[in-house]
């Protein structure tokens, strides 16, 4: 496989493997919620390329399956592998009183050394136990495979979703206990217990619920009543924990992105349970509560700007606010126009964030804002073309190939989906009137045309055809 900078050569090599090369690396969006009704009614004709990406990411995201919470190199303090376990990302060990640190196992370091926080500096060793990453992989895989089933009608995708949900939440051998008692532990002798920031680890429930709602609404035969009932029962127990445990209530009280995502998560599982009234009151509590203090008159988000990586955190909390507004709209609480104490809306926050370029230490995060731009454009409109122009300028055609362009509609494709429109009329993307599902073909020419030169996506393009999946992650747990 040539690792040439010339995209076309790489593409041709990939095409010979009869694998549709990833135009983009699989992107782990910070969060999102998709109304199944909107997806069912989605007949926008400028999203062919985004649909192809969704099919590709559905396959890519299946690579590590199945994921289970019981897969750990050492157990949590409870001794029960069914308990979810994760380490706070910015904690670093100080083993200065140990003569020979190489003699310590990862577990001994974790339990015996003294830990301190260095804000913004990620410790890779804190992923040795990777329930956190495995759960995030599950959330993307469920979302993209549910969408791929909707688009293609191919039960392979929905069968996987059912199996993965069963493995993570339900199977006797591997099921997760419905609590986060050991999430984001801080490490060392006094840090063997979960902290409130760890509640954030399960914010991706919004993606899982989005996928499940789609399978439910379209009566997927592979989504079995057993699994549906099991997941619903799990949600009921988890809500009990989420609304009573001390650390969960501390997270709810957080005024920044942590609090925002707490409401996302609670409302999502309430919807899963069928508790629409509960989800309504959760979203109302967010928009009538901490949201009011999150956006200044000029659109800045002072609580996020104060952090070590302000560009990332502004985009991150925007994703939370947008997801909460989408959930609200689904349950009948319209919050897109809700103004903060200083008179700002989600749109004001997005408009401000777009004016601030990432600092030199944050250039890798530039694209994190893009899905938020598409979401705001779709909801508030883009009458002067400002949002489409920003994305077209930032990443060219790549913005209409991004999976989220499929569900953040209506939104202009700036004329970039011409290849997709051609494919549609030539039959490679067809719509089946009988099933009501559109089937997207794999037109290699489209991919040749659509290879962009966006550095942050280069790895996914280079390796997409070599079955090595690189993931662009916006969903760090911080
Ligand atoms: C897409 O839809 C728009 C609005 O309905 C229509 O004007 C346009 O002709 C359609 N384009 C294609 C390629 O079908
Ligand atoms: C941790 O700190 C305590 C108290 O300062 C000290 O007695 C102990 O030796 C330290 N442990 C390690 C592994 O450095
Ligand atoms: C330190 O521990 C490692 C692993 O047990 C061992 O191989 C090594 O010989 C030890 N070094 C010293 C200086 O004791
Ligand atoms: C799982 O455990 C429950 C309760 O112990 C038991 O009733 C059920 O038969 C088990 N299911 C399987 C598939 O082993
Ligand atoms: C799913 O089943 C329900 C109940 O039978 C029915 O009302 C609905 O139209 C079905 N939805 C689809 C998309 O087939
Ligand atoms: C939201 O605000 C816009 C602009 O003021 C207005 O056009 C729209 O009707 C409002 N929507 C709702 C549901 O209040």
């Amino acid at each position: 496989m040539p690792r040439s900078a010339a995209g076309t050569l790489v593409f041709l090599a990939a095409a010979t493997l009869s694998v549709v090369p990833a135009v983009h690396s699989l992107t782990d969006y910070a969060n999102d919620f998709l109304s199944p009704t909107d997806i069912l009614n989605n007949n926008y004709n400028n999203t062919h390329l985004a649909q192809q990406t969704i099919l590709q990411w559905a396959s890519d995201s299946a690579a590590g399956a199945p994921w289970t919470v019981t897969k750990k190199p050492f157990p949590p303090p409870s001794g029960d592998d069914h308990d979810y376990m994760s380490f706070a990302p910015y904690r670093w060990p100080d083993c200065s009183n140990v003569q020979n640190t190489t003699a310590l196992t990862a577990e001994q370091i974790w339990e015996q050394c003294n830990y301190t926080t260095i804000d913004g500096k990620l410790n890779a060793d804190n992923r040795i136990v990777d329930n956190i990453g495995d759960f995030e992989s599950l959330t993307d895989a469920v979302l993209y495979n549910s969408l791929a089933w909707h688009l293609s009608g191919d039960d392979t995708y929905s069968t996987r979703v059912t199996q993965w949900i069963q493995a993570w939440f339900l199977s006797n051998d591997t099921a997760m206990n419905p609590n986060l008692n050991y999430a984001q532990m801080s490490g060392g002798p006094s840090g063997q217990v979960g902290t409130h920031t760890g509640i954030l680890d399960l914010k991706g429930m919004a993606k899982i619920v989005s996928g499940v709602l789609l399978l439910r609404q379209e009566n997927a035969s592979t989504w079995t009543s057993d699994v549906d009932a099991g997941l619903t029962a799990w949600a009921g127990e988890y809500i009990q924990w989420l609304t009573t445990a001390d650390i969960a209530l501390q997270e709810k009280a957080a005024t920044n992105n942590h609090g925002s995502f707490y409401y996302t998560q609670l409302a999502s599982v309430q919807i899963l349970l069928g508790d629409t009234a509960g989800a309504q009151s959760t979203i109302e509590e967010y928009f009538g509560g901490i949201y009011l203090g999150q956006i200044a008159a000029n659109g800045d988000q002072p609580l996020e700007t104060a952090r070590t990586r302000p560009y990332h955190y502004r985009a991150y909390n925007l994703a939370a606010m947008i997801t909460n507004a989408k959930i609200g709209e689904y349950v009948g609480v319209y919050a897109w126009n809700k103004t903060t104490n200083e008179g700002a809306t989600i749109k004001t926050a997005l408009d401000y964030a777009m004016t601030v370029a990432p600092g030199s230490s944050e250039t890798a995060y530039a694209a994190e804002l893009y899905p938020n731009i598409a979401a705001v454009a779709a909801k508030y409109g883009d009458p002067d073309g400002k949002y489409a122009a920003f994305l077209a300028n930032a990443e060219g055609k790549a913005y209409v190939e991004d999976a989220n362009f499929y569900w953040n509609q209506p939104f202009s494709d700036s004329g970039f989906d011409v290849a997709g429109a051609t494919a549609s009329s030539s039959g490679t993307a067809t719509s089946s009137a009988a099933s009501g599902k559109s089937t997207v073909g794999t037109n290699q020419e489209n991919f040749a045309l659509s290879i962009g030169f966006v550095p942050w996506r280069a790895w996914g393009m280079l390796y997409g055809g070599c079955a090595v999946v690189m993931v662009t992650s916006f969903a760090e747990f911080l």
Side-chain angles (χ1 to χ4, degrees):
M1 185 79 192
R3 296 179 189 183
S4 162
T8 308
L9 280 179
V10 172
F11 159 72
L12 289 173
T16 62
L17 302 177
S18 62
V19 170
V20 180
V23 174
H24 295 176
S25 56
L26 170 61
T27 302
D28 176 25
Y29 298 128
N31 218 348
D32 217 325
F33 176 83
L34 281 56
S35 152
T37 319
D38 289 352
I39 298 298
L40 213 52
N41 296 333
N42 182 325
N43 55 9
Y44 297 101
N45 61 11
N46 59 344
T47 64
H48 309 84
L49 298 174
Q51 291 177 40
Q52 289 175 338
T53 299
I54 286 170
L55 294 175
Q56 179 65 44
W57 289 0
S59 301
D60 289 351
S61 64
W67 304 271
T68 62
V69 78
T70 50
K71 195 187 100 189
K72 303 179 174 72
F74 52 89
S78 63
D80 183 354
D81 276 337
H82 295 268
D83 282 333
Y84 178 96
M85 172 187 192
S86 70
F87 304 156
Y90 299 144
R91 298 288 285 176
W92 290 82
D94 172 2
C95 307
S96 52
N97 283 18
V98 177
Q99 297 306 316
N100 182 355
T101 55
T102 60
L104 295 181
T105 65
E107 184 176 8
Q108 287 169 327
I109 290 173
W110 175 251
E111 289 172 356
Q112 295 171 19
C113 298
N114 296 316
Y115 276 69
T116 51
T117 297
I118 308 178
D119 189 29
K121 188 176 176 195
L122 293 164
N123 180 353
D125 284 352
N126 290 351
R127 290 296 191 94
I128 287 173
V129 174
D130 202 21
N131 284 176
I132 190 172
D134 287 343
F135 181 75
E136 192 66 18
S137 298
L138 170 75
T139 67
D140 288 330
V142 166
L143 177 63
Y144 296 130
N145 280 271
S146 299
L147 285 165
W149 172 78
H150 165 79
L151 292 171
S152 70
D154 181 346
D155 285 345
T156 308
Y157 298 113
S158 53
T159 302
R160 287 172 177 164
V161 171
T162 306
Q163 289 168 347
W164 296 335
I165 297 269
Q166 175 133 28
W168 186 277
F169 295 100
L170 305 176
S171 294
N172 282 359
D173 291 348
T174 55
M176 174 181 165
N177 293 334
N179 73 71
L180 293 174
N181 291 333
Y182 302 101
Q184 294 206 11
M185 293 182 283
S186 53
S190 62
Q192 297 296 310
V193 60
T195 57
H196 75 84
T197 57
I199 311 312
L200 190 66
D201 290 13
L202 251 63
K203 69 184 183 306
M205 284 304 299
K207 295 182 191 173
I208 289 184
V209 172
S210 299
V212 169
L213 291 180
L214 195 55
L215 300 186
R216 276 185 184 172
Q217 180 141 338
E218 294 193 62
N219 306 319
S221 61
T222 48
W223 177 249
T224 65
S225 51
D226 277 8
V227 171
D228 191 81
L231 182 62
T232 302
W234 190 95
E237 290 180 53
Y238 183 60
I239 288 169
Q240 180 66 25
W241 185 88
L242 204 52
T243 53
T244 55
D246 280 350
I247 55 173
L249 296 177
Q250 286 167 29
E251 185 75 342
K252 180 182 181 178
T255 51
N256 66 358
N257 67 81
H258 279 270
S260 310
F261 280 125
Y262 172 89
Y263 289 97
T264 305
Q265 191 185 150
L266 177 58
S268 298
V269 284
Q270 286 170 322
I271 289 171
L272 193 59
L273 194 64
D275 181 10
T276 305
Q280 286 170 341
S281 82
T282 297
I283 295 300
E284 277 166 356
E285 193 177 352
Y286 169 69
F287 282 104
I290 60 171
Y291 168 79
L292 298 174
Q294 288 185 335
I295 315 170
N298 70 350
D300 189 18
Q301 299 174 68
L303 299 169
E304 309 304 331
T305 296
R307 298 290 297 272
T308 46
R309 293 178 298 145
Y311 182 94
H312 157 72
Y313 280 112
R314 277 190 297 269
Y316 199 56
N317 194 52
L318 261 164
M321 297 190 289
I322 287 167
T323 304
N324 287 348
K326 288 184 178 183
I327 292 173
E329 196 169 3
Y330 178 64
V331 296
V333 176
Y334 192 90
W336 294 100
N337 284 354
K338 178 77 179 169
T339 52
T340 60
N341 290 336
E342 294 196 20
T345 64
I346 292 171
K347 182 178 186 298
T348 324
L350 189 268
D351 289 344
Y352 176 84
M354 286 168 64
T355 66
V356 189
S360 58
S361 65
E362 286 200 278
T363 50
Y365 295 94
E368 190 175 345
L369 197 60
Y370 303 165
N372 298 332
I373 295 173
V376 163
K379 186 45 61 181
Y380 296 84
D382 190 14
D384 54 4
K386 162 182 145 174
Y387 297 123
F390 184 99
L391 292 178
N393 182 54
E395 50 174 5
K397 190 179 185 179
Y399 92 87
V400 307
E401 295 161 346
D402 221 314
N404 80 80
F405 188 77
Y406 170 65
W407 62 80
N408 285 319
Q409 287 291 332
F411 186 29
S412 167
D413 65 8
S414 302
F416 281 123
D417 198 17
V418 174
T422 304
S424 178
S425 56
S426 71
T428 54
T430 56
S431 176
S432 156
S435 70
K437 296 178 172 63
S438 61
T439 308
V440 181
T442 57
N443 184 337
Q444 303 287 1
E445 260 181 31
N446 293 345
F447 286 94
L449 288 169
S450 57
I451 284 179
F453 296 94
V454 183
W456 68 277
R457 284 182 172 139
W459 291 104
M461 282 165 33
L462 285 170
Y463 291 103
C466 298
V468 176
V469 178
M470 302 298 292
V471 179
T472 302
S473 180
F474 299 155
E476 294 186 23
F477 306 83
L478 312 170

